[in-house]
């Protein structure tokens, strides 16, 4: 529910006052009474304290452009979370930190924005949520470039960002920030999970050829595939070729693939890009000469290329088919609302909203540094993927990764297009805080130092 803010907010007062010192800010918070959750012990920061009986979350997703279908499913997950936070149901009934009666005594409302899968547009939309709507938390994704742009803004504004769909290593690597957390796995983990399965399925000492979307996600994805295919299977990369994001005709790139040398073609494309490149690869007959891999699946791609995905390996963030209580509780609630199984984008959106709310409850305040500290190092097993940790050093979720394979068209149903062939334990994935993408992460300040 969008909420227009017409009254002069605390943020407006702070901006008008210019460079107020810490003592002045503390005094202002004390004058307001109630510090955004019943406390008044912290100074104003970001959109803290929260005034009135409501707290605003901002959901910034692609509502236009090539990822708009995924953005629509993210919004379904976000809205379901808000409903459960305010009225009970779903995980609000089973997570001990949540009451189903709002968060810290306040009713959760939300505002929505359209990123158009463009970093500049996404930042402008998030800025409006921060300045006009006084959002204390923003969440969104479906493009790593967008997520990285918005989380950088949130660090500057001291407003928390909860990553939704973003798979680039950079998000919690060199572009990491203190004010952002990601539960979704990354390209590095996809390589770790996928390489052993492919090596066992296809053998060792093979040649592979890559096409990749030329932006943050595709660049780190192809680098991770090269690293782990080479190390695990002793495969050799023939070439890795960049393709512009949003390409519809891949024929010129596919015609350059050397059929007589290539054993495996890796298509590092996502969403509609993959829905275009994979069928075109099959139409060109490349599957007759080599295996084809799409490392990261999503529902949009699987549905749009349903006739082409049979036997194609990849990874997904989560599957409605997982037979555990948190997953099935979410599936049941989502089905009741939307009459079909949820995508993993919907679950991430739901999870990230619930995680922020639960952290605020544990902290007993919306004061951003304390909410962040309540999430850092937090361990949980109630989000459908077994034991998980939001690591303190880089804010990257340490969790299992699912390897999937596309079903033949004759075995597909509306909801079941993929089968889960392996759930790779987090004990076999990840990296130390001084290794992999984390080695380049410097989170920055909490804001209360």
């Amino acid at each position: 529910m969008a909420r227009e803010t017409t009254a002069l907010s605390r943020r407006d007062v702070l901006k008008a006052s210019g460079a107020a010192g810490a003592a002045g800010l503390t005094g202002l918070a004390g004058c307001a009474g109630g510090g955004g959750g019943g406390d008044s012990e912290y100074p104003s920061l970001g959109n803290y304290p929260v005034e009135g009986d409501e707290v605003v979350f901002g959901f910034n997703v692609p509502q236009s452009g090539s990822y708009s279908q995924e953005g629509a499913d993210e919004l379904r997950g976000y809205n379901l979370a808000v409903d459960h936070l305010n009225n009970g149901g779903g995980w609000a009934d089973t997570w001990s930190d949540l009451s189903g009666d709002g968060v810290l005594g306040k009713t959760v409302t939300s505002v929505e924005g359209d990123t158009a899968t463009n970093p500049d547009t996404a930042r402008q939309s998030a800025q409006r949520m921060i300045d006009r709507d006084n959002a204390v938390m923003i969440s969104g994704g479906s493009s790593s470039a967008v997520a990285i742009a918005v989380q950088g803004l949130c660090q500057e504004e001291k407003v928390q960002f909860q990553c939704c769909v973003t798979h680039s290593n950079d998000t919690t690597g060199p572009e990491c920030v203190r004010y952002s957390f990601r539960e979704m796995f990354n390209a590095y983990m996809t390589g770790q999970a996928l390489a052993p399965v492919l090596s066992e399925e296809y053998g060792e000492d093979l040649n592979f050829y890559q096409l990749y979307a030329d932006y943050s996600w595709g660049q780190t994805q192809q680098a991770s595939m090269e690293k782990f295919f080479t190390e695990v299977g002793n495969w050799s990369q023939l070439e890795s070729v960049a393709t512009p994001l949003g390409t519809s005709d891949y024929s010129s790139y596919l015609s350059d693939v050397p059929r007589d040398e290539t054993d495996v073609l890796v298509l590092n494309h996502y969403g509609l890009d993959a829905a275009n490149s994979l069928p075109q690869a099959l139409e060109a007959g490349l599957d007759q000469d080599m295996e084809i891999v799409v490392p990261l699946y999503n529902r949009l791609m699987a549905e749009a290329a349903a006739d082409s995905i049979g036997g194609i390996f990849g990874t997904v963030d989560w599957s409605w088919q997982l037979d555990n209580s948190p997953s099935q509780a979410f599936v049941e609630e989502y089905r009741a609302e939307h009459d079909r199984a949820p995508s993993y984008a919907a679950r991430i959106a739901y999870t990230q909203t619930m995680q922020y709310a639960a952290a605020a409850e544990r902290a007993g305040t919306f004061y951003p540094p304390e909410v962040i500290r309540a999430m850092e190092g937090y361990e949980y097993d109630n989000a459908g993927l077994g034991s998980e940790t939001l690591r303190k050093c880089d804010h990257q979720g340490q969790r299992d990764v699912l390897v999937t394979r596309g079903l033949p068209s004759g075995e597909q149903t509306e909801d079941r297009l993929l089968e889960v062939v392996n759930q790779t334990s987090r004990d076999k994935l990840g990296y130390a805080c001084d290794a992999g993408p984390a080695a380049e992460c410097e989170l920055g300040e909490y804001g209360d130092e």
Side-chain angles (χ1 to χ4, degrees):
M1 164 176 80
R3 193 188 71 178
E4 293 295 335
T5 303
T6 55
L8 194 62
S9 69
R10 177 175 300 278
R11 186 178 189 81
D12 297 326
V13 173
L14 289 173
K15 286 180 175 177
S17 68
L25 294 175
T26 303
L28 187 56
C31 289
D39 57 84
S40 58
E41 59 185 296
Y42 302 109
S44 296
L45 184 68
N47 276 329
Y48 174 88
V50 178
E51 308 286 1
D53 298 328
E54 297 180 345
V55 60
V56 181
F57 294 171
F59 302 136
N60 203 24
V61 304
Q63 299 184 59
S64 59
S66 58
Y67 293 169
S68 59
Q69 289 186 33
E70 187 162 80
D73 219 23
E74 290 173 1
L75 282 179
R76 295 183 188 103
Y78 287 130
N79 291 331
L80 191 61
V82 169
D83 180 32
H84 290 169
L85 288 172
N86 289 330
N87 303 306
W91 294 353
D93 291 347
T94 57
W95 285 24
S96 60
D97 297 319
L98 301 176
S99 66
D101 189 24
V103 180
L104 295 173
K106 296 182 184 294
T107 300
V108 179
T109 64
S110 63
V111 292
E112 300 171 1
D114 180 9
T115 68
T117 320
N118 179 289
D120 292 336
T121 303
R123 277 181 66 99
Q124 292 166 8
S125 176
Q127 190 75 64
R128 284 194 296 272
M129 293 176 176
I130 295 170
D131 293 343
R132 183 192 67 187
D133 304 310
N134 296 323
V136 298
M137 182 276 282
I138 292 174
S139 184
S142 286
S143 159
S144 290
V146 164
I148 288 169
V150 176
Q151 73 178 16
L153 171 69
C154 287
Q155 178 71 28
E156 296 168 8
E157 297 286 354
K158 299 298 181 283
V159 171
Q160 189 152 333
F161 182 68
Q162 293 285 96
C163 294
C164 193
V165 176
T166 167
H167 188 248
S168 170
N169 294 336
D170 290 349
T171 307
T172 48
E175 302 293 340
C176 74
V177 297
R178 180 73 62 188
Y179 273 70
S180 177
F181 288 84
R182 171 168 69 178
E183 188 204 57
M184 187 174 181
F185 67 124
N186 58 27
Y188 196 95
M189 296 175 182
T190 281
Q192 291 175 311
L194 197 54
V197 173
L198 296 183
S199 180
E200 181 175 349
E201 187 75 18
Y202 300 143
E204 299 185 349
D205 302 316
L206 304 179
N207 294 326
F208 66 102
Y209 188 102
Q210 297 201 78
L211 299 181
Y212 66 93
D214 193 14
Y215 73 108
S216 175
W217 170 72
Q219 292 159 5
T220 65
Q221 173 90 357
Q222 64 89 25
S224 296
M225 297 309 102
E226 179 181 8
K227 172 179 174 60
F228 290 106
F229 289 173
T230 301
E231 291 181 359
V232 175
N234 196 31
W235 293 9
S236 299
Q237 177 169 285
L238 296 174
E239 195 166 357
S240 186
V241 178
T243 60
L245 178 65
T247 297
S248 58
D249 182 359
Y250 288 91
S251 58
S252 62
Y253 300 103
L254 294 169
S255 65
D256 288 337
V257 178
R259 292 173 181 256
D260 56 344
E261 298 179 62
T262 304
D263 298 304
V264 179
L265 171 63
V266 184
L267 298 176
N268 296 294
H269 298 133
Y270 188 69
L272 279 179
D273 287 358
N276 285 321
S277 66
L278 177 59
Q280 289 172 24
L282 270 60
E283 289 169 9
L286 292 177
D287 59 318
Q288 303 301 310
D289 297 318
M290 63 195 73
E291 306 293 344
I292 299 176
V293 175
V294 180
L296 182 63
Y297 269 110
N298 74 342
R299 170 180 282 179
L300 170 63
M301 175 266 174
E303 289 179 340
D307 292 338
S308 305
I309 62 174
I312 304 292
F313 283 93
T315 58
V316 297
D317 185 77
W318 169 85
S319 169
W320 66 271
Q321 301 171 60
L322 290 178
D323 186 18
N324 58 63
S325 295
S327 291
Q328 290 309 306
F330 173 63
V331 171
E332 182 179 347
E333 294 284 346
Y334 187 95
R335 274 193 191 281
E337 192 76 20
H338 301 292
D339 197 29
R340 71 168 305 181
S343 67
Y344 71 68
R347 190 207 66 95
I348 302 173
Y350 183 84
T351 302
Q352 291 294 77
T353 307
M354 304 299 261
Q355 285 288 8
Y356 173 80
E361 291 283 2
R362 289 195 302 276
T365 178
F366 291 110
Y367 184 59
E370 294 305 310
V371 177
I372 291 170
R373 292 184 177 104
M375 296 188 77
E376 290 180 331
Y378 182 63
E379 298 186 5
Y380 56 100
D381 60 0
N382 51 11
L385 288 167
S387 298
E388 301 183 62
T389 303
L390 292 174
R391 196 160 65 172
K392 183 177 181 179
C393 67
D394 59 355
H395 292 189
Q396 171 64 54
Q398 304 297 301
R399 33 69 59 88
D400 295 356
V401 172
L402 306 181
V403 178
T404 58
R405 179 169 50 201
L407 289 168
S409 55
E411 299 178 17
Q412 296 174 5
T413 66
E414 179 187 25
D415 290 329
R416 191 168 183 268
L417 301 169
L418 311 171
E419 61 175 338
V420 178
V421 298
N422 190 52
Q423 181 166 349
T424 307
S425 168
R426 69 172 186 168
D427 296 335
K428 297 181 179 179
L429 304 171
Y431 39 88
C433 289
D434 60 353
E440 302 178 80
C441 171
E442 295 184 8
L443 287 170
E445 297 184 342
Y446 292 90
D448 62 349
E449 290 85 352

